[in-house]
């Protein structure tokens, strides 16, 4: 099988830091070629060079044996390269159809031919098995639907090389299955897919070959069917990793819980969720499970004052709260880390320092109220940089120039800097590599051991089983199950029971609602 793409000694620097160091790679036509590595390994930088967003400092790019120059997105498209980036690149106030064909809108005279546009989009969606109305505004779509629109947009260019950067991060199991069907269809058409993912199961189920990047350099190449998961992870992080997804010696707090920190009683928002009740103890990690669209996100956003319920009560250490906005929640010791890092989390144009300290400006005032004590601010940033191993060239570096994993660490540090007692996390390891996942797992266990109450919303079953002392499962806005580990002969926190409850089969294996 001949190579369609060859990279020779690609290098790139940012702010004096070498992001890519003489990376070479060969990709065969009609294959799915994985590029893996920890956050900051250089994967996204390499893909942005191929997609025309960045210019390489040195090295050669060849397609079908011929050297090419990629200086812009249009150059990449002309050479048959499309990229589906991890962070969406959609215009919220335009329709699905307009977003997909934005640079190629069909016209009738000087006006857009909307009939033809919608028909083209409808045909494309049908071929891809995607059920989204072409006339819907992108701002009305769920995150998973936006991801499918991005995929449709990339495929609409009929490119020979399609790069997918964490394409399943926002998809449920059925949508992932549909994406894999599309990828196999592309292979049959002799199209080539370069696939970036931190999910080992996906790498081993869909790819043919793997290139490993580590610290900006190529660490290894493998045939997928000739490598084990353990060896691949070891190659990615450059060391043996123990206790990955196995609990890491986590001593569950379920049997030695402290006081009830947070109590939710009969929380209801008509048409969204109904009769939600649970407790979170001091030192407990409570998981919220369920399939995409089950309304668990709306429940936790209510706890942070982002969503107002019609009825029900929220108590913190016995005190009833009226959480009408996030400032109320923060002042009461509740902090929230969003799953939408780009849209709701980071302040894109600001520095690492300013992003980290944004939630504690009132605490950083010096003797003159309203004037920031810069020395104290720098000490706090330095503390969390060391504590969470955040990598950047300078505290004044713009946060968008950090890897996704380091951006996520800054958001976690921002939350912890408030001194919160209840920490709510939505998909905290989405798009995070295996090494960073292990670090975050260690951090959450450590925080729970120190007495913090943690609410973890995640789509990864292994995270719920590995980390949580109790899991509340939600289906269509109602609690369908309450599961805990190690409860003797009872059926409890297992993958089978999680899926059983997630699909609407109500079964309470363990309950503390009345406790």
């Amino acid at each position: 099988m001949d190579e369609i793409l060859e990279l020779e000694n690609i290098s790139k620097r940012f702010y004096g830091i070498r992001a890519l160091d003489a990376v070479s790679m060969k990709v065969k036509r009609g294959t799915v070629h994985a590029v893996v590595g920890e956050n900051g390994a250089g994967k996204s930088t390499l893909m942005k060079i191929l997609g025309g967003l960045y210019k390489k400092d040195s090295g050669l790019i060849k397609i079908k044996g011929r050297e090419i120059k990629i200086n812009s997105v249009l150059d990449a498209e002309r050479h048959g390269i499309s990229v589906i980036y991890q962070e969406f690149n959609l215009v919220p106030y335009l329709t699905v159809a307009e977003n997909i064909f934005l640079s190629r809108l069909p016209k009738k005279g000087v006006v857009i031919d909307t009939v033809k546009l919608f028909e083209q989009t409808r045909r494309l969606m049908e071929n891809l098995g995607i059920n989204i109305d072409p006339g819907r505004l992108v701002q009305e779509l769920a995150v998973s639907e936006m991801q499918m629109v991005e995929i449709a947009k990339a495929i609409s260019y009929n490119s020979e090389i399609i790069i997918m950067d964490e394409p399943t991060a926002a998809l449920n199991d059925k949508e992932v299955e549909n994406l894999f069907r599309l990828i196999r269809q592309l292979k049959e058409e002799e199209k080539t897919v370069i696939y970036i993912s931190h999910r080992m199961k996906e790498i081993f189920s869909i790819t043919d070959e793997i290139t490993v990047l580590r610290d900006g350099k190529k660490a290894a190449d493998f045939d997928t069917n000739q490598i084990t998961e353990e060896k691949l992870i070891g190659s990615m992080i450059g060391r043996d990793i123990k206790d990955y997804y196995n609990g890491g010696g986590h001593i569950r707090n379920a049997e030695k819980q402290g006081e009830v920190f947070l109590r939710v009683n009969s929380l209801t928002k008509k048409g969204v969720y109904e009769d939600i009740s649970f407790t979170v103890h001091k030192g407990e990690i409570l998981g919220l499970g369920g399939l995409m669209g089950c309304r668990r996100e709306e429940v936790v956003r209510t706890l942070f004052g982002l969503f107002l319920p019609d009825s029900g009560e929220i108590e913190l250490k016995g005190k009833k709260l009226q959480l009408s906005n996030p400032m109320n929640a923060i002042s009461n010791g509740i902090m929230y880390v969003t799953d939408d890092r780009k849209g709701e989390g980071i302040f894109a144009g600001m520095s690492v320092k300013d992003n980290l300290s944004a939630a504690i400006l009132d605490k950083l005032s010096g003797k003159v109220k309203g004037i920031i004590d810069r020395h104290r601010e720098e000490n706090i940033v330095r503390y969390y940089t060391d504590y969470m191993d955040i990598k950047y060239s300078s505290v004044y570096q713009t946060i968008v120039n950090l890897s996704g994993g380091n951006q996520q660490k800054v958001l976690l540090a921002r939350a912890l800097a408030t001194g919160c007692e209840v920490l709510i996390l939505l998909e905290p390891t989405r798009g995070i590599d295996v090494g960073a996942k292990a670090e975050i797992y260690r951090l959450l266990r450590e925080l729970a051991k120190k007495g913090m109450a943690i609410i973890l919303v995640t789509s990864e079953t292994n995270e719920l089983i590995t980390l949580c002392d109790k899991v509340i499962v939600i289906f269509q806005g109602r609690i369908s199950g309450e599961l805990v580990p190690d409860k003797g002969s009872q059926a409890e926190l297992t993958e089978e029971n999680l899926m059983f409850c997630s699909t609407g089969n109500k079964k309470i294996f363990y309950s503390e609602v009345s406790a």
Side-chain angles (χ1 to χ4, degrees), residues 91-280:
V91 183
Y93 301 110
L94 295 182
T95 66
V96 169
E98 288 165 337
N99 268 276
I100 290 175
F101 292 100
L102 189 56
S103 61
R104 303 153 288 155
L105 294 171
K107 292 185 178 180
K108 186 184 290 183
V110 295
V111 298
I112 296 170
D113 188 342
T114 54
V115 174
K116 186 175 180 181
L117 172 63
F118 280 23
E119 183 54 36
Q120 281 180 191
T121 308
R122 211 169 274 114
R123 257 196 324 269
L124 174 66
M125 293 298 209
E126 285 175 2
N127 290 338
L128 299 179
I130 299 172
N131 184 26
I132 300 175
D133 181 355
R136 286 180 68 189
L137 295 178
V138 162
Q139 65 182 354
E140 298 172 352
L141 302 181
V143 174
S144 61
E145 292 175 315
M146 291 182 192
Q147 181 68 82
M148 299 308 285
V149 172
E150 285 280 22
I151 291 167
K153 182 171 70 171
I155 291 175
S156 73
Y157 285 95
N158 200 29
S159 301
E160 291 189 87
I161 300 170
I162 299 172
I163 300 170
M164 300 184 177
D165 190 353
E166 295 287 349
T168 64
L171 304 185
N172 61 33
D173 290 344
K174 184 177 180 181
E175 289 163 337
V176 170
E177 188 179 311
N178 190 36
L179 174 63
F180 285 2
R181 179 188 61 78
L182 290 177
I183 290 174
R184 294 186 184 101
Q185 181 179 317
L186 291 170
K187 281 181 65 176
E188 289 174 6
E189 296 170 2
E190 286 292 293
K191 302 290 178 66
T192 302
V193 175
I194 299 177
Y195 194 90
I196 300 174
S197 178
H198 295 304
R199 299 183 178 185
M200 294 294 103
K201 184 178 178 182
E202 294 178 8
I203 296 296
F204 283 92
S205 64
I206 199 65
T207 72
D208 302 295
E209 295 182 326
I210 304 170
T211 294
V212 180
L213 298 184
R214 188 170 67 244
D215 298 327
K217 299 179 180 180
K218 185 173 79 171
D221 287 312
F222 299 108
D223 288 335
T224 306
N225 59 9
Q226 294 178 0
I227 181 76
T228 64
E229 182 174 326
E230 184 179 18
K231 187 175 178 181
L232 179 58
I233 292 173
S235 179
M236 289 166 62
I237 64 176
R239 62 187 187 276
D240 290 334
I241 186 166
K242 297 179 180 179
D243 301 322
Y244 177 62
Y245 274 159
N246 68 357
H250 176 45
I251 299 173
R252 306 278 180 178
N253 295 318
E255 298 302 327
K256 51 186 182 62
Q257 292 162 339
E259 62 181 302
V260 172
F261 256 30
L262 187 71
R263 186 186 297 274
V264 175
N265 293 319
S266 302
L267 211 60
T268 297
K269 177 72 173 178
K270 290 181 182 178
V272 183
Y273 54 76
E274 188 172 352
D275 196 26
I276 302 294
S277 299
F278 58 80
T279 58
V280 190

Side-chain angles (χ1 to χ4, degrees), residues 5 49 51 53-54 74 169 186 213 219 226 229 258 292 297 311 318 321 326 331 373 379 428 431 433 500 506:
L5 175 68
I49 288 172
L53 288 181
Y54 294 161
L74 287 177
L186 291 170
L213 298 184
Q226 294 178 0
E229 182 174 326
M292 194 75 69
E297 290 85 0
S311 60
L321 302 180
S331 64
D373 183 337
N379 284 340
D433 64 76
F500 181 84
K506 188 173 178 63

Side-chain angles (χ1 to χ4, degrees), residues 315-332:
E315 295 180 6
L316 184 67
K317 292 190 286 188
K319 173 188 172 185
K320 291 182 182 178
L321 302 180
Q322 297 294 326
L323 301 177
S324 57
N325 58 62
M327 292 308 297
N328 288 159
I330 294 171
S331 64
N332 281 286

Side-chain angles (χ1 to χ4, degrees), residues 399-410:
I399 194 168
V400 291
N401 293 317
L402 269 59
S403 69
N406 282 304
Q407 290 178 15
Q408 186 70 9
K409 287 181 181 180
V410 171

Side-chain angles (χ1 to χ4, degrees), residues 323-389:
L323 301 177
S324 57
N325 58 62
M327 292 308 297
N328 288 159
I330 294 171
S331 64
N332 281 286
I334 301 172
M335 199 58 190
Y336 165 95
V337 179
T338 178
D339 57 338
D340 184 1
R341 185 166 60 235
K342 180 182 178 183
E344 298 178 352
I346 65 171
F347 299 110
M350 293 168 59
S351 68
V352 173
K353 174 182 67 67
D354 291 339
N355 267 273
L356 200 155
S357 62
I360 57 168
L361 295 179
D362 58 328
K363 296 180 181 180
L364 293 175
S365 291
K367 293 180 180 179
V368 180
K369 191 169 178 61
I371 303 298
I372 302 301
D373 183 337
R374 296 299 178 188
H375 179 69
R376 187 178 178 197
E377 182 183 30
E378 287 174 8
N379 284 340
I380 289 173
V381 172
R382 194 178 301 114
Y383 170 80
Y384 283 104
T385 294
D386 294 340
Y387 181 54
M388 304 187 69
D389 192 26

